[in-house]
Amino acid sequence: MQRRQGRVNAGLLLLLYQISQVGLQNIPSVTLGVLVLNVFLFLNPLKPLSEVCISVNEGFHRRDWQRLLLSPVHHADDWHLYYNMVSMLWKGIMLERKLGSSWFAYIIVVFSVLVGVVYIALEFMLVKILSDPSYEMNCAVGFSGVLFALKVLNNYYNPGRVSSVLGFQIPNKYACWAELVAIHLISPGTSFAGHLAGILVGLMYTMGPLRKVMKAFAGGFLFTDLTRPRDYYYYSESSGYPGYQHRMPRNYYDYTGGLSEEEQLERAVMNSLHERDSGGATHSDERRPYGFWFPPEQHSEEEMRRQRLQLPACC
C-alpha cells in the first residue's frame, strides 16, 4: 500500500490542470477546500497508509476510530487521487450550489464517518456469513465511498436524467448500481464493500431517516431551505469541466400565471386556435407576460352599449 516514490505524479499534474481549466473562482468554497485538503495530504500524509486505512480489525477490534476521518482523505497513488478529485470537482460544484456551503460541508463530514462505519459493518457481515476471517483485514482508503454517496444525492436532486456507463445509457436512479458493478469488473482490486457503503449511506439520506437526524442535530443553524428556487448551473460531465450557464431564478407563479399544467395546456390550445383564425396576425401592443396569450375579455352587446353611454362627450 505504500506510495511509489521517485517518479513524476502525472495524475496530480493532470488534476491541477483540470482545476485550472475550471478556474478557482468558479469552484465553491467547500468543494475547493476538500480538493486542497486531499492534495495536501497526498503530498504530506499524516501517517503511512497502513496506519490510516479503515478495516474491521483496525477500526472495530482495536478501536482506532480516528481512521474514520483519516482514511477518506488519503489516497494510494496519484491516479487514485486524480479520479476521485475530478469526480469530487463536478459533484461538489453541483451539490454545493444546490444545498449551500454550510449544509454541504456538514454532509461531507457526516458521510465520511458513516461510510467508514457502514464499510466495517459490511465486512463484519461477510466474516460471519462466509466464515472467512480474512475480510477483517481488508483495509480501505480513499474518497470514493463518499463520492458514491454524493452521486446518490446528485441523482436524487436531478431525476429523469441518464448517465453513460461503459457506453450504455442508464437512468440516473440505477446508475450508481451499474457503476458499482462496472468498476469492480474493470478494477477487481477496488473496494466493492467501500463503494457499496457509499451507496447505502446516500440512500439513508435520500430515502431513510439520516437527513432528518442531521437536521435535528444541526438545530436549524445549517439547514438551507431547499424548496426555494436557486440559481441553476449546467455541467457537461463529458467535457471534464463545467461550462457554467448562469440563469437567474424566476418566479414560477409569474411564468405560469398561476395556472395548473392542465390549464396551461388548455390555454395554449386556445391561443393556437385563435392565431390560426386570425391568420397569425398579432398587434404590436399585445402583451404576453406569462409565455402564452390571454385573450381580451369578451363583453356582451348590452355591456358594450352601457360602456358607450358612460363615455364623456367629446369636445
Side-chain angles (χ1 to χ4, degrees), residues 286-298:
E286 185 176 299
R287 297 184 59 199
R288 302 191 178 199
Y290 303 114
F292 43 79
W293 181 73
F294 286 91
E297 182 180 0
Q298 300 295 329

Side-chain angles (χ1 to χ4, degrees), residues 66-221:
Q66 64 175 338
R67 293 174 182 254
L68 293 174
L69 288 175
L70 295 179
S71 60
V73 292
H74 286 77
H75 291 81
D77 55 44
D78 56 322
W79 288 110
H80 189 204
L81 175 73
Y82 168 75
Y83 287 116
N84 279 352
M85 290 301 101
V86 167
S87 180
M88 176 62 199
L89 179 61
W90 77 265
K91 288 183 176 68
I93 288 173
M94 297 183 72
L95 288 173
E96 187 171 349
R97 299 292 188 188
K98 175 79 176 177
L99 303 174
S101 295
S102 298
W103 188 259
F104 186 64
Y106 187 29
I107 283 178
I108 292 294
V109 174
V110 173
F111 280 15
S112 297
V113 174
L114 279 185
V115 167
V117 172
V118 175
Y119 169 76
I120 291 177
L122 290 174
E123 293 285 7
F124 189 78
M125 289 173 58
L126 290 174
V127 171
K128 297 300 182 181
I129 294 174
L130 302 178
S131 299
D132 186 352
S134 66
Y135 286 100
E136 292 185 348
M137 309 302 296
N138 289 344
C139 215
V141 69
F143 207 71
S144 54
V146 179
L147 292 172
F148 265 87
L150 294 180
K151 186 170 184 63
V152 173
L153 262 66
N154 188 52
N155 293 344
Y156 173 78
Y157 289 117
N158 297 280
R161 299 183 181 179
V162 295
S163 298
S164 178
V165 180
L166 297 180
F168 296 96
Q169 298 300 312
I170 307 294
N172 266 3
K173 60 181 179 179
Y174 304 120
C176 291
W177 301 103
E179 289 184 17
L180 175 67
V181 175
I183 291 176
H184 187 64
L185 293 176
I186 296 173
S187 303
T190 57
S191 175
F192 183 87
H195 296 163
L196 176 59
I199 294 178
L200 295 179
V201 169
L203 293 175
M204 289 167 58
Y205 182 92
T206 58
M207 303 177 64
L210 179 57
R211 179 166 39 177
K212 292 182 179 179
V213 173
M214 290 175 62
K215 290 178 183 177
F217 274 96
F221 293 105

Side-chain angles (χ1 to χ4, degrees), residues 3-67:
R3 189 180 298 121
R4 289 179 293 174
Q5 302 292 339
R7 67 179 179 85
V8 176
N9 291 319
L12 177 59
L13 295 178
L14 187 56
L15 171 62
L16 296 178
Y17 172 76
Q18 294 282 1
I19 293 175
S20 68
Q21 289 295 100
V22 175
L24 295 179
Q25 72 279 6
N26 295 322
I27 305 176
S29 57
V30 174
T31 300
L32 181 61
V34 172
L35 297 175
V36 171
L37 176 63
N38 279 268
V39 171
F40 177 81
L41 291 178
F42 174 77
L43 298 173
N44 303 278
L46 296 178
K47 296 180 180 180
L49 293 180
S50 59
E51 297 181 17
V52 296
C53 62
I54 188 70
S55 67
V56 175
N57 185 59
E58 300 295 338
F60 181 72
H61 293 307
R62 296 189 178 182
R63 301 293 194 273
D64 191 359
W65 300 119
Q66 64 175 338
R67 293 174 182 254

